[in-house]
Structure formats: structure tokens, C-alpha cells
Amino acid sequence: MELNTPWGPLGYVTYKRTYARRLNENNANSKTEEFEDTIDRVVNACQKQLKVGFTSQEEKRLKEILLSLKGSVAGRFMWQLGTKTVDRLGLMSLQNCAFTVVNEPIRPFTWTMDALMLGSGVGFNIQREHVYELPKLKRKVRIIRKDTNDADFIVPDSREGWVTLLRKTLESHFITGEGFTYSTICVRGKGSAIKGFGGVASGPEELCWGIGEISKLLNSRSGKKVRPIDCLDVMNIIGYIVVAGNVRRSAQIAIGDYDDVQFLKAKRWDLGIPNWRAMSNNSVVCNDIALLPEQFWDGYNGNGEPYGLINLKLAREVGRTGDTYYPDPDVQGFNPCAEQSLAPYETCCLAEIHLPNIESQEELTEVTLYLYRINKHSLALPCHSEETQAIVHKNMRMGIGITGYCMATEEQKSWLPYTYNYLRAYDVNYSKLNNFPPSIKLTTVKPSGTLSLLSGVTPGAHPGFSHYHIRRIRMASDSALVKVCKKKGYNVEFQRNFDGSDDTNTVVVEFPSKFPENTLVSKDVCALAQLELVKKLQEEWSDNSVSVTIYYRLEELEGIKAWLKTNYNNNLKTVSFLLHSDHGFDQAPLEEITRQEYESMIQLVQPIDNCEVNEEDIKGSFECATGICPIK
């Protein structure tokens, strides 16, 4: 039986750009996979690398599920499974989420850099109770770049080499009080190919810049203790280095105290702050909404970025709200999208169910169990970080998410509680049968982005932008993909600069898109309705957290505060907000259109279902709805 993949308007292009590997990894001119090739690679790797043990009939059914976009393995899995990278790196090559606590002077920072360079998003807790455990800084030290063979340290051309340079820098400031020289003569030049994870090298300049900025910052506190704001800056500079190193996104979440005034002002752009602070979303730990000071809301009035709220107490006490059977006492924070509660140095993996494509309660359960088995076995892989391997193998935490919730039918939504309970019982038996610990958490709701674009469903539990809209994608002008878009009838124009002139290096391509009439769309959902949706999913499906960015207007703030006062403590583990912007930008990424306009546009174009796409062809990325999660 031939299966037709139900691509969304940008599904095939998104897949080719993001997940299709070269058929011959050693040939830069090799064609890339088609979707069935990718799924074959994934299914084969489930057997050979993860040792899942699917029967031949189960392999066939899994392939059908993945090709028909009823379920998806995590993007990291789709990109990495079947490669030598998984053989070499094991656990960390497939992990989406990571977290640490800054309560030591060296390891939290070097571990974060390592995880980011492996493509995992990292959360870090910089509450005062943890940061104040760090020792005082030593005297001012000089760390000097000296690109000669006689430098004290010659940086190896590897991830480990970059992390070692950071470690030696921190040791100079916190432990020895002695400076050193280092050489980057072995670091490959800018533009060199990076095998395994893909992309090109940035050269040594951003690494040297970042080490210089970290040293300058720590010297400014010599003889004193560092503050949470200092740890935030060090982490954000590390993130900047990694982005320059071409992992594309360096997703971070900083978690601080709700009454730390310096931290609360860290993203007040109107006050003049370092650019690197753009590298993280920031949230505060608030276990009792009644204690939240009014100053917390200062960033909600358009002068900066609104901070999210983290309810660690609830995250430690329950799985789904109301379920007290699954406590998680070691949790200290969350991953960057704030859907996965994590212990220090813990990582976890994700998967996605495309709920609108599921045809029955039985099929939802079936798809969930296939994704569960893949994730479960991936968590048993070895890890080069001893502390990470220990906590991951103990907790076996995963996050099987759902996407397209706001365009699913009420019947499809009603299947979720039963499927969760079935999965919980299944995990107990499956774990015992395979000599695994039971998973401390199993389900989640993440923002989604790239994977939801494949099937063209609404992202995660977010409402759709509008029933009919134009999605604009920026591409390099000289990309072969631009020629394909023109040939297929899509409108292509140069990107316009702020002064009205054309940027001839970049074009904007318009893709007419739609969601079904029953889809919940943004204009019909106020902030309080979004909050009620989060509350419902936390009760019915996610035993981790529910990550939805609540879009609000200024006039809704007082209503939001009143709702949180009544509901927050016992119903929400995490929540984040973003001020709604009726920006009216020229060539905006999304623009609402009428049904008639959509039908006129769609008649002029043909679906793109055969092309070659390089990562550098598309400018920007198809990230999570909040724009912070890594692609791969």
C-alpha cells in the first residue's frame, strides 16, 4: 500500500531543509534523502542502535505511522539516528532538553557549553541560594591569546577543546588566581565543514571574544562573590559563542528569584544592557502567587521582555494536576521551552503526536506506545557525562507531546486521559520486562514548530494564527530553491529594507496557508481562555508541564493577575507571556487574508514535492512557536 504523506503547505520544504541527510555523507554534491529514505534510516536505527526489538510487522506499522505523520520522533532523532554521531556520542546526541544548577564555579558552565554544542537546549537555575555557594573570585588575572606554538595551552580543534579553554579560564578566576596564554592555531578556519552535526565552522574569533568577555566580567568582581546577574551573563556569553559556532540556536532559560531586582531588569532593553542577554528566556521561581511583587510586572508593559513563572513546588509534588502518585522531588528547573521539569545535569528526549491525524482512540494509544518504546530505549544509551548518565538512567524521563491540539476535534481531545492512564500502566510492565526503571515522567505539551509545519497543524497547544494566511519565508537570492518556488507559481520578491530599498541578497517567498474552519485561532482566544487551555492539558495529559506562550494585550493584564491569584498555585507548573503586537510590518512572517484571497492565491501555485534544499538556503529558522528551541 502506497502512503501519501499529508504535507502542510511548507511541510516538504521544511523536511528537506531540516532533516534530509545526504545520501552519501562523504560527497558534498550528493543528493539528499526523500522522506521515505529518512524514515527507513530511523526505523533501522531503532533496531540497530537503540535495540528496541520491533518485530517485522511492528517495523512495517511504525513506518506507516511516521510516513503518514500520525506521530513523529523528535527532530534530533530524525536528524541523527543511523549516523556515526550516535555511535560515538550515545545519549547526548539525541537529547532535546537539559538543565543544571549554578552552585559550583566550574562544572555547571562547562557542562552547559558541552550540551549546547551538542545541540541540546539548556536551562539553568541561578537563584541566590545556589549561586552564593560559589567561592569568592581570586585576584584579577590575564588570559591572553597568543597564536604561537609556545602558548601555555593550544586549543584542540574539537568541542572538547573549546570546553577545556572555558574550564581553564574559570579555574584561573575561581581557583588558581594565575593567568595563562592560549593558542588557536589548530582551530579550523571560518567556513570549514562540520561533519556529523552539519553546518560550517565559525573560526576561532567568537570563541576568543567570548573568553575575553567572561574574563573581563569576572575580573570586575575580583575578591568578591559573583551574583546571579554575573552567572546569567557568563551563561549567555557561552550561548553566544555556541551560536557563532553554527549550532544556529543556543536555546537557554535562566531561572532566578522573583525578588531579585537585578535579574528582573536583566532584559530591560530600554535601560541599556549587553546584547548577549538575548540568548536566554528568563523566568522566576514562584511557588505562591501571593508573594509575587508588583515589580515583577514591570516588564509586561512593553519596556522589556516579560518573564515566565516557574512553580517548582507543584512540579515536585505531582505529575498531572490531581495525580499525587508521581512526585518528582529532585526537580530544580526546566528546559528552555519550559515543558520538561529536570534535576541538575539531567537531560530528556521528546516525541510528537499529530493529534488531528489520529483516527481513533485505539490508534492514539498505538502511536503513543510506539513513540514510548523508541524514547525508552534511547534513554538507556551510555553518556560521556557521568552525572548525566546516572540521573537519566535513574529517571528515564521523556516527553511524548501532542501538536495540533487547537485544530483537533472534541472527540480527538477526549481520548487523551485514557491514553495517558494506559501508557502509565504499560510503562510499569514494559520497564519490568526490559529491566528498566519506570519513567518518572512520560508526557508533555511543547510549543512545537518544525514538526507541526511538516503536517501543517497548529503548533503544540497554541491556537492557529488565522484560518487563512500568508506565511513568508526568507531565502538566499541565489538559492536553487528560489527558482523552484518561482516555477511553481509562488510570489517571490526582494526583501525590503527599512528605508524602502531592496536587499538583493535576500528574497521573500509567500506561501498561502489555511487551517480548517473548526480550528481555534488567535483572534478568537483571549489570554484567559489560553490559560484555561493550559490548565486543562496539565490535568488531562502532561505529567511534565504544558508550554504555551500566552499572548496578551495590555488591557488584559489585570484579568490575568486575578486569574493567576485563583488558579496558579495548584494548576500551573510553568507559564510564559508575550505582549500581542499588531505590528503591521512590511513583509511580516504571517499575514491574515480572507478566504477569497487564499483561494485566488492557491489556484496559481503547485505544491513543492521534489527539490534539493540546503540549510543556508533559508534565512531564519522553523523553531518552536516561541522561537527558542533547537532544530536538531
Side-chain angles (χ1 to χ4, degrees):
M1 180 181 66
E2 183 177 344
L3 285 173
N4 292 317
T5 300
W7 295 116
L10 268 171
Y12 179 79
V13 172
T14 303
Y15 154 71
K16 289 290 279 190
R17 184 260 187 179
T18 313
Y19 303 121
R21 301 192 73 94
R22 297 194 184 282
L23 291 168
N24 182 349
E25 295 281 2
N26 297 317
N27 181 358
N29 297 316
S30 170
K31 287 188 175 181
T32 54
E33 297 169 326
E34 293 302 324
F35 195 44
E36 188 166 1
D37 298 321
T38 302
I39 297 307
D40 282 338
R41 170 168 54 79
V42 167
V43 173
N44 290 336
C46 286
Q47 300 291 71
K48 294 178 181 178
Q49 288 182 316
L50 304 185
K51 314 295 184 188
V52 180
F54 290 125
T55 65
S56 57
Q57 190 62 35
E58 287 174 332
E59 281 191 53
K60 180 181 177 182
R61 179 55 180 151
L62 173 61
K63 183 175 176 180
E64 290 174 354
I65 287 170
L66 298 178
L67 281 173
S68 57
L69 294 177
K70 293 179 183 293
S72 298
V73 293
R76 293 290 299 280
F77 283 58
M78 206 180 297
W79 174 246
Q80 294 286 8
L81 277 174
T83 69
K84 293 179 181 178
T85 305
V86 177
D87 295 331
R88 187 176 75 253
L89 295 174
L91 186 76
M92 286 291 276
S93 65
L94 298 173
Q95 299 292 280
N96 300 82
C97 310
F99 170 80
T100 191
V101 171
V102 182
N103 58 0
E104 299 177 56
I106 313 296
R107 187 58 176 155
F109 300 103
T110 56
W111 185 88
T112 293
M113 187 177 197
D114 184 57
L116 288 172
M117 293 185 77
L118 287 170
S120 186
V122 179
F124 53 92
N125 187 313
I126 51 172
Q127 288 183 273
R128 288 181 293 249
E129 63 182 284
H130 304 304
V131 170
Y132 289 168
E133 292 184 28
L134 274 65
K136 285 184 179 180
L137 288 155
K138 301 295 184 180
R139 63 186 181 184
K140 291 183 179 181
V141 299
R142 295 185 67 201
I143 297 169
I144 302 170
R145 178 182 182 181
K146 180 184 177 184
D147 281 348
T148 59
N149 290 324
D150 62 345
D152 296 325
F153 176 62
I154 297 178
V155 183
D157 185 30
S158 64
R159 181 187 84 258
E160 294 88 348
W162 287 37
V163 173
T164 299
L165 178 59
L166 174 64
R167 175 178 60 77
K168 292 178 73 68
T169 299
L170 295 170
E171 286 174 348
S172 289
H173 286 280
F174 280 103
I175 297 173
T176 69
E178 300 294 331
F180 65 93
T181 60
Y182 69 93
S183 170
T184 63
I185 56 175
C186 290
V187 177
R188 78 191 81 179
K190 187 174 184 179
S192 302
I194 299 175
K195 295 182 179 180
F197 276 90
V200 295
S202 62
E205 298 307 318
E206 282 79 7
L207 171 64
C208 298
W209 167 87
I211 292 297
E213 290 296 330
I214 290 171
S215 188
K216 186 191 306 181
L217 187 155
L218 296 179
N219 274 335
S220 72
R221 299 290 298 171
S222 62
K224 304 175 184 176
K225 289 208 168 200
V226 292
R227 304 159 298 180
I229 193 72
D230 303 317
C231 296
L232 172 72
D233 283 331
V234 172
M235 285 293 200
N236 287 172
I237 293 168
I238 290 169
Y240 191 96
I241 294 171
V242 172
V243 165
N246 204 37
V247 177
R248 291 170 307 284
R249 302 292 280 185
S250 182
Q252 296 182 331
I253 185 171
I255 301 171
D257 288 304
Y258 65 80
D259 58 351
D260 184 337
V261 176
Q262 285 182 316
F263 179 64
L264 290 175
K265 291 183 177 180
K267 302 199 83 168
R268 284 284 302 275
W269 302 106
D270 57 314
L271 300 178
I273 58 176
N275 288 332
W276 58 67
R277 289 190 188 165
M279 300 313 301
S280 65
N281 281 353
N282 295 352
S283 292
V284 301
V285 174
C286 176
N287 297 329
D288 183 352
I289 199 70
L291 300 177
L292 195 66
E294 191 61 30
Q295 191 170 17
F296 169 83
W297 299 101
D298 288 349
Y300 279 67
N301 296 313
N303 294 323
E305 295 183 24
Y307 282 28
L309 295 168
I310 303 284
N311 189 342
L312 279 185
K313 181 175 182 291
L314 189 64
R316 290 166 178 156
E317 290 176 346
V318 303
R320 295 182 302 173
T321 47
D323 283 350
T324 57
Y325 311 111
Y326 310 110
D328 204 354
D330 296 331
V331 162
Q332 295 276 18
F334 283 78
N335 70 312
C337 284
E339 79 272 6
Q340 295 299 109
S341 50
L342 295 163
Y345 300 111
E346 189 177 13
T347 62
C348 77
C349 58
L350 303 174
E352 198 88 296
I353 297 165
H354 299 248
L355 190 58
N357 292 346
I358 302 295
E359 297 177 34
S360 66
Q361 171 74 77
E362 292 73 23
E363 186 171 69
L364 176 59
T365 303
E366 178 192 29
V367 170
T368 302
L369 296 186
Y370 273 105
L371 298 177
Y372 159 84
R373 289 172 67 186
I374 295 170
N375 279 7
K376 190 78 173 185
H377 284 265
S378 78
L379 291 165
L381 289 172
C383 184
H384 67 288
S385 166
E386 291 182 5
E387 60 266 72
T388 297
Q389 177 171 303
I391 190 67
V392 170
H393 286 186
K394 173 191 172 189
N395 285 345
M396 286 277 173
R397 185 189 307 273
M398 68 179 77
I400 301 175
I402 54 173
T403 194
Y405 185 82
C406 286
M407 63 181 278
T409 65
E410 291 305 313
E411 182 182 10
Q412 288 169 324
K413 295 173 185 176
S414 73
W415 300 333
L416 293 173
Y418 171 86
T419 301
Y420 175 84
N421 290 327
Y422 190 98
L423 176 62
R424 262 295 172 193
Y426 186 87
D427 175 56
V428 172
N429 294 326
Y430 192 86
S431 298
K432 187 179 297 183
L433 184 66
N434 290 276
N435 199 29
F436 293 142
S439 290
I440 198 164
K441 293 285 186 290
L442 289 164
T443 54
T444 195
V445 179
K446 69 185 184 68
S448 194
T450 314
L451 291 177
S452 63
L453 279 176
L454 297 184
S455 58
V457 300
T458 51
H462 290 91
F465 176 75
S466 61
H467 287 112
Y468 302 94
H469 54 277
I470 296 169
R471 184 182 286 272
R472 293 186 177 90
I473 302 297
R474 282 153 172 77
M475 303 182 186
S477 296
D478 58 357
S479 163
L481 180 58
V482 173
K483 296 179 182 178
V484 175
C485 291
K486 288 180 177 178
K487 184 177 179 180
K488 295 287 188 177
Y490 294 90
N491 186 56
V492 179
E493 59 188 28
F494 287 123
Q495 177 173 278
R496 287 186 288 276
N497 297 318
F498 287 118
D499 63 3
S501 62
D502 287 339
D503 174 0
T504 58
N505 294 317
T506 305
V507 297
V508 178
V509 183
E510 296 183 346
F511 292 85
S513 305
K514 74 170 183 176
F515 291 123
E517 289 298 326
N518 68 311
T519 303
L520 199 61
V521 296
S522 295
K523 68 179 180 181
D524 299 328
V525 188
C526 66
L528 298 189
Q530 294 174 68
L531 286 165
E532 287 290 341
L533 186 150
V534 173
K535 178 181 174 182
K536 180 180 181 182
L537 281 167
Q538 188 70 75
E539 180 181 351
E540 294 186 349
W541 177 254
S542 179
D543 59 13
N544 280 284
S545 185
V546 177
S547 180
V548 174
T549 300
I550 307 297
Y551 289 88
Y552 69 96
R553 289 179 168 81
L554 290 177
E555 60 269 24
E556 294 182 287
L557 264 182
E558 292 308 312
I560 289 171
K561 293 177 186 178
W563 189 95
L564 291 174
K565 184 177 180 181
T566 302
N567 294 279
Y568 174 82
N569 287 6
N570 298 316
N571 295 284
L572 299 187
K573 295 182 181 180
T574 66
V575 64
S576 60
F577 297 87
L578 191 63
L579 182 63
H580 193 285
S581 176
D582 297 314
H583 50 69
F585 288 156
D586 187 27
Q587 299 176 314
L590 291 167
E591 178 186 337
E592 184 173 5
I593 56 176
T594 65
R595 177 177 179 176
Q596 291 72 25
E597 288 173 318
Y598 168 81
E599 290 176 346
S600 296
M601 294 179 71
I602 204 70
Q603 289 176 6
L604 301 175
V605 302
Q606 298 174 325
I608 299 174
D609 55 10
N610 194 313
C611 66
E612 287 296 315
V613 185
N614 297 318
E615 291 201 52
E616 59 269 21
D617 287 341
I618 298 176
K619 299 191 173 185
S621 56
F622 303 139
E623 305 291 351
C624 290
T626 51
I628 59 171
C629 283
I631 291 176
K632 299 171 183 171

